[in-house]
Amino acid sequence: GTQKFRFDFVPPILVVPADKASQSIGAAGDNSVLFTWQKTNFTEKYEFQLATDLEFKNIISKKTLKENFFVGEVPKVGVYYWRVQAFSKKINSGFGKANELNLTP
């Protein structure tokens, strides 16, 4: 018989900002944040989500991206959570653990 090829499609590992990282909004009011994660095999696209709560009920940014990074505007000082999932042709990885980001003045 033929063996069905199966592998666990794991979520991308989040890289920057690290979990519980703090970043200050620049004096110029520059509130853009670089988010990066590890590339995953067999991936066609990623979905990035940024929320104000760990349950991701209040998502403030949601993007579908081909690359393993995104520069996003974070609206104001506060605590945010971000996560990423990967999509291949037929399946997605689901979301991994979210990282917490503290935006300070």
Side-chain angles (χ1 to χ4, degrees), residues 11-16 36-41 43 46 68 84 86:
I13 293 168
L14 307 182
V15 179
V16 173
T36 68
W37 50 91
Q38 289 182 0
K39 276 188 182 298
T40 48
N41 292 329
T43 300
Y46 300 96
N68 63 320
V84 178

Side-chain angles (χ1 to χ4, degrees), residues 4 6 27 31 43 55 58 69 89 92:
K4 204 168 161 60
R6 188 186 169 281
N31 56 349
T43 300
E55 292 77 40
N58 184 28
F69 64 88
K89 281 185 169 53
N92 67 50

Side-chain angles (χ1 to χ4, degrees), residues 7-8 14 29-30 33 35 37 39 44 48 50 52 60-61 65 73 81 92 94 99:
F7 66 98
D8 288 324
L14 307 182
D30 177 19
V33 176
F35 298 93
W37 50 91
K39 276 188 182 298
E44 293 192 325
F48 166 89
L50 179 69
T52 57
I60 55 172
S61 180
L65 306 148
E73 297 268 311
Y81 300 90
N92 67 50
N99 273 9

Side-chain angles (χ1 to χ4, degrees), residues 9-12 84-86 92-96:
F9 194 41
V10 295
V84 178
Q85 70 174 325
N92 67 50
S93 68
F95 287 102

Side-chain angles (χ1 to χ4, degrees), residues 2 5 7 29-30 39 47-48 56 58 63 74 83-84 93 103:
T2 56
F5 178 65
F7 66 98
D30 177 19
K39 276 188 182 298
E47 183 176 296
F48 166 89
F56 285 80
N58 184 28
K63 300 272 185 251
V74 179
R83 64 185 184 177
V84 178
S93 68
L103 215 58

Side-chain angles (χ1 to χ4, degrees), residues 57-72:
K57 290 192 173 79
N58 184 28
I59 294 170
I60 55 172
S61 180
K62 187 165 146 176
K63 300 272 185 251
T64 300
L65 306 148
K66 290 215 176 293
E67 302 301 328
N68 63 320
F69 64 88
F70 171 63
V71 176

